[in-house]
C-alpha cells in the first residue's frame, strides 16, 4: 500500500538537527530534479526579497520565509513526519502510533512537495516554503516540472498494491497514476451530510476534509490494514466505522473515487 499525502504549510520549528544530506533522501531517482529545484529556490531567495515573495506568493508578514529558503543547505533538518504540523498531520498523530503502526506508516506514507518532489516520513528535511503551484525562474510551474521524474520513479514505488491518493489538486498534478497502477488507485473526497428542512444536503469542507483524511489513515495504520486494492479499501474503511460510497470506474485504466460521508465535522 502506498498512501499519497499533501504537505502542510505549517511546519515545526527548525530545532538544532544536522543539515540536509540530499544523498540520504529516499526515492534517489528524484535526486537530479531535487537538486535543480533546490538550486533555483536558493538562488531566487538570495536575490531580491520582494521579487522572491511575489514568485512564492508570500505576504509581507512572511518575509522571513524568504531568508529561511536562502539558508536551506545549512539549516537544521528533521524527519518529514515531524516537520509537517498542519491539520492532516495533527489528526494523523504519527508521534503516538504503536510500533507496528509506525512501521507501516514508514513503509506506506509518501508526502508530496514542491521542493523535494516526494519524501518518506523518515527523510530528514529542513523547513521550507515552496508550494507545488509556484513557478520558479528557469524551471516553470513545479507541478508540470515534476511530472517527468515522478513518472519514472513512482510506478516502481507503487508496485502491485493499492495507491490511496489523499493529495490536493495542486499536488496531484505532479503525478497521475496510469494503466494498471491507476486501476489500483483510490482517490478520497470527504462530504459533510446534514438534513435541512427534511432534505439531506452534502457539502465539501476544507479544514475537516484534512482532519478526516488524517484520522482515516491513522485508523488504517492502527488496524494494521493493508488493502490489496480499492474494493478491499472500501471494505476495510466500513469495518472501521466509516460511511463510504464508491463505484468501480466504468473504463479500464481509471482510478476509483471514494466519498467518505460524515455527519459531524470536528
Amino acid at each position: 500500500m502506498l498512501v499519497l499525502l499533501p504537505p502542510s504549510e505549517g511546519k515545526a520549528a527548525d530545532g538544532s538537527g544536522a543539515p540536509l544530506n540530499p544523498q540520504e533522501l529516499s526515492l534517489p531517482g528524484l535526486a537530479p530534479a531535487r537538486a535543480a529545484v533546490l538550486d533555483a529556490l536558493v538562488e531566487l531567495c538570495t536575490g531580491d526579497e520582494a521579487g522572491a515573495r511575489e514568485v512564492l506568493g508570500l505576504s509581507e508578514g512572511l518575509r522571513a520565509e524568504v531568508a529561511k529558503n536562502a539558508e536551506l543547505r545549512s539549516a537544521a533538518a528533521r524527519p518529514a513526519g515531524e516537520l509537517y504540523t498542519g491539520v492532516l498531520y495533527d489528526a494523523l498523530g504519527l508521534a503516538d502510533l504503536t510500533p507496528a503502526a509506525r512501521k507501516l506508516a514508514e513503509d506506506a506514507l509518501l508526502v508530496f512537495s514542491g521542493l523535494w518532489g516526494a519524501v518518506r516520513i523518515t527523510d530528514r528535511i529542513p523547513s521550507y516554503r515552496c508550494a507545488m503551484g509556484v513557478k520558479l525562474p528557469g524551471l516553470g510551474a513545479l507541478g508540470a516540472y515534476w511530472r517527468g521524474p515522478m513518472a519514472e520513479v513512482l510506478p516502481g514505488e507503487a508496485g502491485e498494491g493499492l495507491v490511496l491518493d489523499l493529495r490536493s489538486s495542486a499536488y496531484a498534478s505532479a503525478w497521475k497514476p496510469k494503466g494498471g497502477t491507476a486501476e489500483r488507485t483510490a482517490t478520497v473526497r470527504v462530504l459533510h451530510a446534514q438534513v435541512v428542512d427534511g432534505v439531506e444536503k452534502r457539502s465539501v469542507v476544507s479544514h475537516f476534509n484534512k482532519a478526516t483524511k488524517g484520522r482515516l489513515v491513522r485508523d488504517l495504520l492502527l488496524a494494521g490494514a493493508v488493502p490489496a486494492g480499492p474494493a478491499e479499501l472500501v471494505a476495510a474503511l466500513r469495518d472501521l466505522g466509516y460511511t463510504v460510497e464508491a463505484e468501480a470506474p466504468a473504463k479500464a485504466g481509471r482510478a476509483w473515487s471514494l466519498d467518505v460521508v460524515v455527519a459531524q465535522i470536528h
Side-chain angles (χ1 to χ4, degrees), residues 4-95:
L4 312 181
L5 299 176
S8 68
E9 290 188 356
K11 297 180 180 68
D14 291 347
S16 57
L20 168 76
N21 183 345
Q23 286 72 40
E24 292 181 350
L25 296 179
S26 58
L27 283 68
L30 298 179
R34 286 172 176 151
V37 178
L38 180 60
D39 287 346
L41 182 61
V42 170
E43 181 178 357
L44 171 70
C45 292
T46 53
D48 173 46
E49 181 199 278
R53 285 196 290 106
E54 182 177 359
V55 170
L56 297 174
L58 301 177
S59 66
E60 172 72 22
L62 293 173
R63 62 189 305 173
E65 298 294 318
V66 175
K68 184 185 295 184
N69 281 347
E71 302 297 329
L72 281 170
R73 292 191 179 91
S74 58
R78 65 171 64 206
E82 298 176 11
L83 181 69
Y84 296 115
T85 60
V87 173
L88 188 153
Y89 292 90
D90 289 345
L92 176 53
L94 291 170

Side-chain angles (χ1 to χ4, degrees), residues 85-108:
T85 60
V87 173
L88 188 153
Y89 292 90
D90 289 345
L92 176 53
L94 291 170
D96 61 357
L97 290 175
T98 64
R102 175 71 188 195
K103 177 62 169 61
L104 183 54
E106 292 175 358
D107 292 340

